[in-house]
Amino acid sequence: MKFRSICTACVFVMCVTAVYAEPDSDVSKASIETMEEWNDWKFGMFIHWGAWSQTEIGAIWHMWREDTPEQRAQRFKLNETFNPVKFDATEWARMAKAAGMKYLVFTTKHHDGFCNWDTKLTGHSVTDPACPYSKSPNPDIVKNLVEAYRKEGLGIGFYYSHIDWHHPQAMLFSETYLGGKLTREQREKARTKELANVDSRPEDWKEFVQFEKGQVRELLTNYGEIDILWFDIWWPSGGYSVPIKHPKVKDDMVDLLKMARGLQPGIIINNRGTDFFGDFETPEQKIPEGAPSGYWETNMTMTDPYRRHGGGYWYKGSDAPAKSMDELLNVMVKVFSKGGNFLLNVGPAPDGTFPKAAVSRLKDLGSWMNTNSEAVYGSKRNPLGENPDWGYITRKDQNLYLFVFDWPKKGEKITLAVPGKIKSARLLKGNKSVTFSYDSGESRVEFTLPNKPPHPIASVIAIEVESRF
Ligand code: FHN
């Protein structure tokens, strides 16, 4: 993306001293310019898709929390029946663009270890002869998606899971293998055990690390410029934006990140399992209470995550309902008003088509974004101390954008304490001017709105303020 050429000139470096790290031992972060450009994108498409989609379960933790060992063994054969003959990367990219999304984050490999690209490091992949789709003309799904989303001018993000339940050594380094929901004590015991394994099984640990490093190298070498590396879960004793306690694990992580930033100098890396070297926070299925000071992105499912089998990132059957536009717009605009990015997930069917409800919701979102994107792209968090009861606010330069969810009844007005004189006020829909006046104390502005809101859920008023605020 255009910002890539900027960032190489102004990356600031966080020095890390680590015994095992290579001589340069600097783990840089993405530049402010790069992060500002990413933050301006605001809205992305998350996609969870692969062999697991055939289960129609929606959640992958079912495999370790509810499946018997025999069922689990069957799940590892899902690669032998994965054949998405209706997969059309261009159609997916066009639906994302039409919805107003500016980037993609795609599951190159999730916890089940199935790889959606032509990896040379395991046969559990879409291009291996064991997978029927390998016989298609272009079986490398990652390659197809990168080309299609790039062609639509969208950013490219690779999701990659630090845990891999299919990998022979993985059993040693992730407490998630101890099936069933763990109690706090069990989880602590499991963490202690996996850390001990790093020391007692050095060769196994080395093999596991080399495998992940090798796969990340493939992904960041073979598909051109990649904008985002979106890790998930963590290595032993890890977490999200927390210190990695074990020195060897930390040094291996530093090494992995230095390799990633060396291969893709402008890449943005998230905070999952990356100690404090990540570039943005990743609240999941929720909006942080306060507005985090740094860069952050909420990821959320399109389907109701608690309808069936828990979780909702994966395909949940053709009849799975999408969340309502009311819910999605409320969440999305609230995230924007706090300065965050919104990554909305779609779980395609195993045949490569998007669920009907997702297609419909993406069209609804695109129609709303068509009218209101001026208030979204490039906007920053609400600068006022006030969170109005009628909706949310974003800012861009000298403009404030009022997202009105609770449209005033006939004869009533909405009010706001605005810092400085207002030059103009207009509805984004049709650019119709809006009448406003100051209350007696000159402290609050009263806006007189049309009886009928331009959009049944959220309509936007743009106001230009004279003085800097
Ligand atoms: O277990 C995964 C889950 O399937 C999904 O990928 C989410 C996306 O943020 N991450 C993990 C749960 O936190």
Side-chain angles (χ1 to χ4, degrees):
M1 297 301 273
K2 64 175 167 42
F3 64 71
R4 301 290 307 281
S5 53
I6 301 171
C7 65
T8 45
C10 43
V11 166
F12 67 85
V13 172
M14 175 196 286
C15 291
V16 175
T17 50
V19 175
Y20 303 96
E22 290 160 6
D24 62 9
S25 74
D26 285 346
V27 182
S28 57
K29 279 189 175 255
S31 71
I32 297 287
E33 286 75 11
T34 301
M35 292 313 296
E36 282 297 297
E37 184 98 16
W38 170 82
N39 191 221
D40 286 349
W41 288 352
K42 304 312 288 183
F43 187 25
M45 177 179 273
F46 208 177
I47 295 183
H48 281 64
W49 192 54
W52 182 260
S53 305
Q54 300 169 89
T55 66
E56 297 197 14
I57 287 177
I60 201 152
W61 292 94
H62 190 289
M63 190 174 188
W64 288 96
R65 290 181 176 155
E66 296 169 58
D67 283 352
T68 62
E70 295 70 28
Q71 285 170 318
R72 199 173 297 159
Q74 284 310 308
R75 307 295 195 190
F76 287 130
K77 290 182 178 299
L78 286 167
N79 64 311
E80 296 171 11
T81 49
F82 185 56
N83 191 20
V85 291
K86 293 181 181 172
F87 169 54
D88 179 344
T90 301
E91 187 184 29
W92 288 14
R94 287 180 179 158
M95 282 194 279
K97 184 175 185 179
M101 293 162 158
K102 290 289 187 182
Y103 62 104
L104 165 72
V105 176
F106 176 68
T107 50
T108 61
K109 182 184 83 173
H110 206 263
H111 314 338
D112 60 335
F114 180 77
C115 302
N116 278 310
W117 79 98
D118 186 22
T119 178
K120 304 303 180 206
L121 301 177
T122 173
H124 203 53
S125 81
V126 70
T127 55
D128 184 87
C131 177
Y133 197 62
S134 66
K135 314 253 181 327
S136 68
N138 300 296
D140 188 325
I141 287 171
V142 165
K143 182 172 182 291
N144 288 308
L145 288 171
V146 168
E147 288 169 357
Y149 279 73
R150 270 275 177 267
K151 196 165 168 214
E152 296 300 326
L154 303 183
I156 301 295
F158 286 162
Y159 168 110
Y160 183 88
S161 171
H162 282 307
I163 57 175
D164 178 330
W165 295 332
H166 185 267
H167 186 279
Q169 266 77 12
M171 292 293 282
L172 298 167
F173 306 117
S174 166
E175 85 275 5
T176 54
Y177 287 103
L178 305 178
K181 289 190 175 60
L182 303 179
T183 62
R184 180 185 295 277
E185 294 69 30
Q186 287 170 322
R187 188 168 289 279
E188 280 318 305
K189 198 159 159 252
R191 281 180 185 252
T192 309
K193 187 163 175 287
E194 67 186 26
L195 279 173
N197 286 338
V198 174
D199 293 315
S200 62
R201 314 282 293 254
E203 285 312 306
D204 287 308
W205 173 249
K206 184 177 172 189
E207 201 283 336
F208 186 58
V209 169
Q210 292 309 325
F211 176 73
E212 171 161 339
K213 261 187 88 170
Q215 290 205 315
V216 171
R217 179 181 291 279
E218 287 179 330
L219 289 167
L220 300 187
T221 304
N222 301 338
Y223 301 98
E225 283 194 359
I226 304 307
D227 299 292
I228 303 153
L229 181 54
W230 212 100
F231 283 118
D232 203 2
I233 312 294
W234 50 75
W235 281 351
S237 84
Y240 302 159
S241 289
V242 294
I244 295 179
K245 299 187 191 76
H246 192 294
K248 179 77 180 84
V249 176
K250 172 147 185 180
D251 286 322
D252 287 330
M253 173 49 70
V254 166
D255 211 36
L256 171 65
L257 296 189
K258 281 192 312 166
M259 177 196 78
R261 295 197 190 275
L263 290 168
Q264 297 275 347
I267 200 159
I268 296 170
I269 301 175
N270 75 350
N271 72 324
R272 297 195 169 197
T274 55
D275 199 283
F276 289 103
F277 302 118
D279 299 306
F280 66 97
E281 302 283 325
T282 54
E284 177 172 318
Q285 300 278 41
K286 62 175 184 274
I287 302 171
E289 256 323 292
S293 56
Y295 296 103
W296 60 283
E297 168 197 79
T298 276
N299 72 83
M300 198 160 273
T301 54
M302 173 93 78
T303 51
D304 173 353
Y306 308 107
R307 179 173 174 274
R308 254 189 326 150
H309 303 297
Y313 285 92
W314 294 84
Y315 181 60
K316 294 178 76 172
S318 60
D319 63 344
K323 287 172 181 166
S324 69
M325 266 298 276
D326 194 73
E327 181 177 353
L328 287 174
L329 276 182
N330 257 287
V331 168
M332 183 165 85
V333 171
K334 188 171 183 181
V335 166
F336 296 156
S337 74
K338 290 170 174 248
N341 281 26
F342 185 57
L343 188 64
L344 182 60
N345 182 79
V346 177
D351 68 358
T353 57
F354 277 16
K356 291 188 297 297
V359 173
S360 164
R361 198 61 75 242
L362 288 170
K363 282 185 183 144
D364 296 340
L365 287 164
S367 161
W368 185 85
M369 283 293 283
N370 265 341
T371 304
N372 301 296
S373 62
E374 174 190 332
V376 173
Y377 301 136
S379 71
K380 298 301 169 193
R381 66 190 68 201
N382 172 5
L384 312 180
E386 175 179 356
N387 290 312
D389 55 8
W390 41 258
Y392 305 101
I393 296 168
T394 61
R395 169 196 182 165
K396 190 161 40 176
D397 306 325
Q398 284 306 106
N399 296 305
L400 290 174
Y401 295 95
L402 318 184
F403 296 77
V404 184
F405 283 79
D406 188 3
W407 197 259
K409 294 181 182 52
K410 193 170 176 195
E412 291 179 4
K413 300 177 180 177
I414 64 166
T415 71
L416 184 67
V418 178
K421 285 285 174 224
I422 295 179
K423 279 171 79 173
S424 66
R426 63 189 163 92
L427 285 169
L428 284 191
K429 176 82 173 177
N431 259 333
K432 278 177 64 181
S433 63
V434 168
T435 311
F436 59 89
S437 57
Y438 291 83
D439 67 0
S440 51
E442 291 278 306
S443 63
R444 293 187 75 79
V445 184
E446 295 174 340
F447 298 92
T448 305
L449 304 182
N451 293 336
K452 192 169 176 300
H455 187 274
I457 300 170
S459 305
V460 183
I461 300 159
I463 60 175
E464 191 182 359
V465 182
E466 267 177 7
S467 57
R468 289 204 60 74
F469 58 87

